[in-house]
Amino acid sequence: MAARVRRNWLGLTCVALLVFLYAPLVIAVVYAFNDSRRLTWPPTGFSLKWFNEIFSDDLFSKALTTSVIAATLTAVVAGIIGTAAAIVFTRRRSRTARALEGFGLLPVMLPPLFIAIGLVATMNVANISPAMWTIVVGHTLVAIPFVLVVIVARLRTFDVELESAARDLGAGPRQVLLRITLPIVAPAVLGAMLLAFAISFDEVLITNFTSGTQSTVPLYVLGRLRRFIDPGANAVATILLLVPWIALAIGALFLRRSGGSRAVGESA
Amino acid sequence: MGRVHDHEAEMRSGSPEADAREQGALSVRGVSKRFGAVTAVDEVSLELPAGVFFSLLGPSGCGKTTLLRMIAGLEQPDGGSILVDGQDITSQPPERRPFNMVFQRYALFPHLNVFDNVAFGLTTERSSRPPKGEVTRRVADMLRLVGLEGLEQRMPTQLSGGQAQRVSVARALIRQPRALLLDEPMAALDRNVRHQVREELLRIHAETGTTFLMVTHDQDEALSISQLVGLMNEGKLEQVADPETMYHRPATLFAARFVGAGCFVSGRVVGRTDGAPEVDVQGIRFAAADAGVAGGEEAQVLLRPQDLTLVDPGSGRVQGSVETCTFFGAYYAITVRTPIALLRLHEPRAAHPGASVGVDWPATAGIAYPTSGGTAEPAAEDNVLGGE
């Protein structure tokens, strides 16, 4: 009996936690499809008009374009820098490499506001005006530690003997990298790039400082909410919710096509 | 021993492999390698004739794999030089050396199928990349050689251990190396597959005529498969000999302890008859083969189980009682407690534990080693129980 009671408590706690985590999400999505302008319970009826309104708003289209371009560029830049750095960190065992790895991961612990202020100060000192590339630089700074963690973890389980085998079979260092190492860790690199894309897509704090007159989707929402609480913001939130899912689906499709050979096989 | 020269394979001259037949003589001259304070390989010198099947045998950590990897170019020696057919290759990177390696855990490329794994070595040199048709043909030849026709499209994860090992051999041999380097090729295989792979390797060696250099810690493997065995201990080569010599006349106390079964009795060299040292073991005197002992010196005498025979109590060289008797199919392994040691011997007939027996051995069946020569720890009950 006591065991059952305890189990009930456990279950209850879990349900409470899930409600706490997901209720705001559910409410945002539900009211995105509500046909009333006022957020009153219960919802009055189903409607797509808020999506219609959002997509007919030029400002939103522009913000969405900016966000997609910035996120794509961030994914590419962070992916390239992160992969190169991860290879160096895992292949070189020098003290310098270890220190560099620590510095590479440090931004995770820095307050984004600090990074933002640093960027603004730098831009002022160097007389740089805000542009797409300043947005990408800011996002890349935030995304790189995450990219690094993912790829370094993959490379640490990578069987270095595979590279020895390739060298032994006549491949120079360049060929080993292009034909063995990169193809094998490609799924991890792709995963890390998707992560960078997602981070960039809803980064708001640093973007606020580096984007100038350009607006990204999160900035657009903020601007909208500043004026009035409206269901259009819920519609945008719903769209934002979908973006990582779409990214993950693309990633999964890609992985399946590439044979899905993650870490299996090398250890056999 | 039919394995030394395979005439059938030799007559297949004209095939591309025949060119490799005269090549692959390997010289290792004073090669050393240190890792921090540890000297893994200590001034090792070794001469291997072309086409030989050589095994580098030794306990784990003796430096044999490091030596192999230095020959492959995967480790750089701290000193000494490595030559193939008279040409110094010490400073060449691994991709330039005319050797290929079978890795311990095979190291098959997990993202490539069997065909692409085997073909890899043909596609790495841009200048001499053969046309597609030739690649296909040579991969097919290799897969036939290792008995894996039809598995071209399999991924490495879909192979059994034995199959992965053969792919690894085919992948290494397709470049027609002057020497094939094998790093513990059977360590990751099931016991029953090992036997099959052993025969397979012998056949492939005979068919290609390539120099094979295999690293192993398994003495049965080394003795049964190779024409020449090098025994390594603590970074040094203890002995290089053919398997028969290695077994019957181990050169050092370490070699005697590591290779084959046997028991040791300790005594003192008291004289010489016809050059052979006469050993006194607690009053029992007998002649033994000389492995560098001096008169008056303490000696360890190796007695192989198959040299010892059970005789009636009262006769033979030493008296004792049967302690255990274990059935092994072809023979019974019997241990006899005697005043000089717990002796182990093989007999075709069973003996009753507790029975009083005599133990005899032919003159000079034992081999006497200087006690100071052995660095290895005595291996438990196989060794001296009597003595001081």
Side-chain angles (χ1 to χ4, degrees), chain A residues 159 161-175 179-180 183-184 261-268, chain B residues 69 72 74 93-95 99-101 103 105-111 120-121 123-126 129 157 171-172 175:
Chain A
D159 185 0
E161 205 76 324
L162 293 175
E163 293 180 355
S164 301
R167 288 294 293 278
D168 183 66
L169 291 164
R174 228 177 81 96
Q175 269 197 67
R179 296 182 60 187
I180 303 299
I184 292 174
S261 54
R262 202 172 263 273
V264 282
E266 311 159 35
S267 53
Chain B
R69 292 179 73 90
L74 298 172
E95 60 265 31
F99 309 131
N100 288 111
M101 185 141 158
F103 288 82
R105 285 171 297 123
Y106 321 130
L108 296 181
F109 305 130
H111 60 306
F120 189 86
T123 61
T124 45
E125 263 143 78
R126 223 151 272 156
R129 190 176 294 178
T157 43
R171 182 179 70 172
R175 283 169 66 84

Side-chain angles (χ1 to χ4, degrees), chain A residues 153-268:
Chain A
R154 177 64 189 92
L155 281 171
R156 292 235 192 273
T157 63
F158 181 87
D159 185 0
V160 191
E161 205 76 324
L162 293 175
E163 293 180 355
S164 301
R167 288 294 293 278
D168 183 66
L169 291 164
R174 228 177 81 96
Q175 269 197 67
V176 172
L177 184 69
L178 293 179
R179 296 182 60 187
I180 303 299
T181 315
L182 285 183
I184 292 174
V185 302
V189 172
L190 191 82
M193 286 172 72
L194 289 176
L195 194 62
F197 186 95
I199 289 171
S200 162
F201 202 84
D202 66 26
E203 212 296 320
V204 54
L205 211 97
I206 296 175
T207 322
N208 211 357
F209 288 80
T210 56
S211 63
T213 56
Q214 296 184 83
S215 184
T216 62
V217 173
L219 286 181
Y220 169 84
V221 176
L222 269 187
R224 228 186 133 101
L225 285 177
R226 212 168 284 151
R227 280 173 280 137
F228 47 90
I229 305 270
D230 93 286
N234 290 329
V236 179
T238 306
I239 296 168
L240 280 180
L241 188 66
L242 282 176
V243 167
W245 289 4
I246 294 170
L248 279 181
I250 294 172
L253 271 179
F254 183 87
L255 285 191
R256 192 167 309 162
R257 192 163 310 164
S258 72
S261 54
R262 202 172 263 273
V264 282
E266 311 159 35
S267 53

